[in-house]
Amino acid sequence: MSPVEMNLEARFEAYVAEDKKIEPKDWMPDAYRKTLIRQISQHAHSEIVGMLPEGNWITRAPSLKRKAILLAKVQDEAGHGLYLYSAAETLGVTRDQMLDDLHTGKAKYSSIFNYPTISWADIGAVGWLVDGAAIMNQVPLCKCSYGPYARAMVRVCKEESFHQRQGFQIMLTMAQGTPEQKALAQDAFNRWWWPSLMMFGPSDADSPHSGQSMKWNIKRFSNDELRQRFVDMTVPQAELLGLTVPDPDLKWNEDRGHYDFGAIDWDEFFNVIKGNGPCNKERLAARVSAHERGAWVREAAKAHAAKQAERRAKSSTHAA
Amino acid sequence: MTEAQHLQAILRLGDDALVLGQRLSEWCGHGPILEEDIALTNVALDLIGQARNLYTLAGSREGQGRDEDALAYFRTDREFQNHLLVEQPNGHFGDTVVRQMFYDAFALERYAFLARQTVDPDLAGIAAKAVKELQYHWGHSSQWVIRLGDGTEESHAKVQESVIALWGYTGEMFMADDVDVACAEAGLLPDLEGVQRAWSVRVADGLSQATLSQPEDGWMQRGGKQGIHSEHLSYMLAEMQVLPRTYPNATW
Ligand SMILES: [Fe+2]
Ligand SMILES: [Fe+2]
């Protein structure tokens, strides 16, 4: 590293340590840029892959009101994808490159979306737990050091609380409904509880990038801290619903002031990441297929825009 | 116009909106570009919102305690009276935007009249909101037909096929039956000949900007308004209605 670069790096670090925002035109270390591109694009991909398990129930929503709410929710996720792709583009990648990485399996997305939504109660559980966990993860990002990412997250977080509420409402209605509905709600809870806890990532001892990201103010709390907060927040909500948390080891720990909970099946977690989850293939295939089937449409839009520009140019030279 | 005809007219409006909204919602997450996932969902949301308002009004007029969901989820395909056009499958993106353009051009005329008529002020209120939405829908669908028609050779050929394939479903919108005639005489619904003239001008203009040729008016499919549908509707309703019919005592 040259003395100039060392100087830049020191200034950058001091700047970030003071909790100031880095903007696209500011100098930044290469590793910082790469980490952000990886994280933001992965986050954007999660938003759009996440549309699939919930989109799965739009046409079968059990009332017109629920249908409209779910449509609006899934539409929000598309919007989140847009904000985040735009934030990543400020770092010098294009949306096409990022989509290519997703479609070839090079880029990851949140593993939670590789689980199937097999009943309507799953839509409740996803909103309540998955969006709930996402909020835990995302609220601290509103203050992250990279300006465009932080600002995108402010917009995202505003909408996420509506997502969690609509999920909780579905669960509440079902948990207070007929015995069959209550059974569906409990079943969905059983299947989504553990994968939701896994959303916070490996335990701190096994989380390779955490230290550096904390130093850069991209990450502010450890995976285990956030997971604990989520458990502490969610258990009383489950009690309110009258549902049983599917963990025999769960109990309040008076000394710690937190809930103790059972061991997470990390073997399952790493297998889903590796591609062995129940829906990994379907999710990626659905994205690839939508992209390929849409290729002629995108090309047409480009061709038409070019023709229009040409016509405008011609008419303005004639006018002159 | 009898009360039953008046009610039927409102239900038909609701059925068109719901069936087309349901079709468009199938796109959510599968559009050709993220911006279109958002735009098509916007249109779907508007249409489902219109259907809810119309069904709620119909239910209250009927006075038998049926709400929007009873009308959407507990009627059979023989009781739905939407036009055949709106139940046609999404096909590719070109098929979807052509279907939408044909419907939007029709709905705009119809709802503009509904918003002005004074026979049913409740309906006029619903229609006034819908007109603003439909203007946006028309802009969206016709712009896409123009982009595709005036895009690449491939897109031009594809969307020309869509126009030809869907043309035979446009005539039904202008075939007046007893309900249409009675409601038009009473001033509730527009005269369909006038609607057709306005529709033709609008659509011809869109197609010509898209450099697409307009098919000859041949035989036009019909039956939707009498509840005799294509094979597609029954599948759509089976999917849409599955939960309330499986758990008829549940609320959601
Ligand atoms: Fe989101
Ligand atoms: Fe969300």
Side-chain angles (χ1 to χ4, degrees):
Chain A
M1 213 182 280
S2 72
V4 178
E5 265 176 297
M6 270 169 65
N7 192 11
L8 283 169
E9 179 129 13
R11 268 174 48 195
F12 172 86
E13 271 168 19
Y15 201 69
V16 168
E18 279 172 54
D19 233 350
K20 286 184 176 153
K21 294 272 178 275
I22 304 298
E23 294 301 330
K25 290 210 172 80
D26 296 341
W27 185 89
M28 61 187 88
D30 228 29
Y32 176 83
R33 186 186 298 275
K34 281 201 187 114
T35 298
L36 277 172
I37 291 176
R38 194 191 63 230
Q39 182 171 335
I40 301 173
S41 64
Q42 193 168 316
H43 192 162
H45 298 328
S46 301
E47 301 284 353
I48 60 166
V49 176
M51 294 169 72
L52 298 170
E54 291 185 280
N56 181 37
W57 280 89
I58 289 172
T59 56
R60 291 175 292 168
S63 73
L64 294 183
K65 183 176 159 202
R66 291 280 175 222
K67 189 191 292 291
I69 292 173
L70 184 59
L71 265 169
K73 197 258 185 200
V74 179
Q75 185 187 39
D76 279 352
E77 307 298 6
H80 298 175
L82 272 187
Y83 308 156
L84 287 161
Y85 283 126
S86 306
E89 281 181 321
T90 63
L91 292 156
V93 271
T94 65
R95 207 206 292 187
D96 280 346
Q97 284 170 318
M98 290 184 270
L99 287 177
D100 212 50
D101 286 348
L102 172 67
H103 297 153
T104 55
K106 215 178 117 193
K108 296 262 177 281
Y109 55 86
S110 178
S111 266
I112 192 80
F113 301 121
N114 290 317
Y115 289 88
T117 49
I118 55 180
S119 89
W120 172 251
D122 290 28
I123 299 307
V126 168
W128 173 39
L129 300 171
V130 175
D131 287 86
I135 293 171
M136 279 288 155
N137 271 329
Q138 291 173 358
V139 166
L141 290 172
C142 297
K143 288 193 195 156
C144 89
S145 60
Y146 189 57
Y149 192 25
R151 289 189 289 273
M153 291 319 300
V154 170
R155 298 173 71 187
V156 168
C157 285
K158 266 189 202 149
E159 292 168 350
E160 290 299 347
S161 51
F162 147 65
H163 297 177
Q164 207 225 359
R165 261 200 320 277
Q166 65 90 35
F168 188 80
Q169 274 305 323
I170 292 174
M171 289 306 261
L172 187 62
T173 313
M174 291 187 76
Q176 296 176 342
T178 65
E180 287 152 311
Q181 283 178 298
K182 183 160 186 192
L184 286 170
Q186 181 65 54
D187 175 56
F189 189 28
N190 293 347
R191 282 179 290 103
W192 288 93
W193 171 251
W194 291 105
S196 303
L197 295 194
M198 294 178 198
M199 281 177 72
F200 297 94
S203 59
D204 297 343
D206 304 314
S207 181
H209 303 293
S210 286
Q212 184 58 274
S213 289
M214 293 260 217
K215 216 174 108 202
W216 280 333
N217 271 347
I218 298 174
K219 199 173 166 70
R220 290 179 175 254
F221 303 97
S222 78
N223 295 351
D224 287 333
E225 267 177 283
L226 291 169
R227 190 168 11 246
Q228 181 71 60
R229 272 194 207 178
F230 177 73
V231 171
D232 292 347
M233 179 191 80
T234 310
V235 171
Q237 294 174 351
E239 279 164 9
L240 203 73
L241 292 171
L243 298 178
T244 309
V245 181
D247 177 359
D249 297 328
L250 184 95
K251 62 172 187 301
W252 178 251
N253 183 327
E254 196 65 56
D255 296 339
R256 292 204 305 126
H258 291 291
Y259 282 96
D260 290 336
F261 53 95
I264 291 172
D265 183 355
W266 291 114
D267 190 39
E268 174 178 323
F269 174 76
F270 286 112
N271 263 291
V272 179
I273 287 187
K274 256 189 263 165
N276 297 328
C279 298
N280 294 60
K281 290 188 184 67
E282 285 95 329
R283 298 293 184 244
L284 200 56
R287 286 312 317 158
V288 169
S289 148
H291 192 71
E292 284 174 355
R293 280 181 295 125
W296 69 276
V297 176
R298 296 189 300 275
E299 279 158 27
K302 237 188 259 169
H304 173 69
K307 283 183 193 176
Q308 290 280 75
E310 204 178 305
R311 281 174 207 138
R312 261 195 304 270
K314 257 191 204 149
S315 68
S316 67
T317 45
H318 284 302
Chain B
M1 176 178 71
T2 65
E3 255 176 58
Q5 287 171 323
H6 187 161
L7 180 64
Q8 209 172 343
I10 300 171
L11 269 177
R12 284 178 176 181
L13 291 164
D15 290 347
D16 271 348
L18 178 61
V19 169
L20 188 54
Q22 172 79 3
R23 272 285 181 248
L24 289 176
S25 73
E26 294 169 16
W27 271 106
C28 190
H30 305 275
I33 184 167
L34 203 42
E35 284 81 349
E36 276 312 298
D37 275 322
I38 294 173
L40 288 176
T41 304
N42 262 335
V43 180
L45 273 169
D46 286 343
L47 291 169
I48 288 165
Q50 291 168 16
R52 293 180 64 190
N53 290 336
L54 291 159
Y55 285 157
T56 300
L57 179 63
S60 78
R61 292 285 167 76
E62 187 188 48
Q64 314 244 331
R66 289 206 285 183
D67 62 6
E68 57 181 54
D69 289 328
L71 290 166
Y73 290 91
F74 291 96
R75 283 183 304 146
T76 66
D77 56 318
R78 289 292 273 110
E79 292 169 281
F80 269 75
Q81 297 181 38
N82 57 281
H83 293 100
L84 298 177
L85 176 71
V86 294
E87 72 197 39
Q88 296 311 302
N90 285 338
H92 57 58
F93 186 74
D95 296 328
T96 292
V97 291
V98 168
R99 181 186 65 197
Q100 194 67 37
M101 175 187 174
F102 289 164
Y103 174 78
D104 290 340
F106 168 69
L108 255 182
E109 291 307 319
R110 188 159 69 158
Y111 277 85
F113 182 92
L114 285 168
R116 283 194 311 268
Q117 54 77 33
T118 52
V119 179
D120 186 338
D122 294 331
L123 185 56
I126 294 171
K129 180 166 180 283
V131 166
K132 290 192 200 114
E133 295 166 347
L134 288 161
Q135 277 160 349
Y136 162 79
H137 301 177
W138 162 260
H140 178 258
S141 62
S142 60
Q143 275 310 307
W144 266 110
V145 171
I146 291 168
R147 279 189 204 110
L148 298 178
D150 183 48
T152 63
E153 232 172 89
E154 183 192 5
S155 69
H156 179 90
K158 272 189 135 120
V159 76
Q160 182 69 65
E161 277 301 315
S162 312
V163 169
I164 293 167
L166 289 164
W167 193 256
Y169 294 101
T170 59
E172 186 190 17
M173 297 189 288
F174 315 112
M175 292 174 193
D177 68 358
D178 293 351
V179 176
D180 295 312
V181 171
C183 292
E185 272 168 12
L188 180 74
L189 291 182
D191 164 42
L192 284 178
E193 279 176 36
V195 173
Q196 181 167 24
R197 277 194 298 277
W199 182 89
S200 300
V201 170
R202 209 177 253 284
V203 167
D205 179 51
L207 291 178
S208 103
Q209 284 191 59
T211 72
L212 293 167
S213 51
Q214 185 168 319
E216 295 289 314
D217 280 341
W219 173 256
M220 291 291 176
Q221 300 299 333
R222 63 202 69 188
K225 282 196 280 196
Q226 287 69 45
I228 300 173
H229 291 274
S230 59
E231 289 180 345
H232 306 296
L233 185 69
S234 170
Y235 284 100
M236 176 195 276
L237 296 184
E239 184 177 340
M240 186 177 86
Q241 298 176 336
V242 61
L243 280 171
R245 287 191 183 254
T246 309
Y247 304 101
N249 300 318
T251 50
W252 304 93

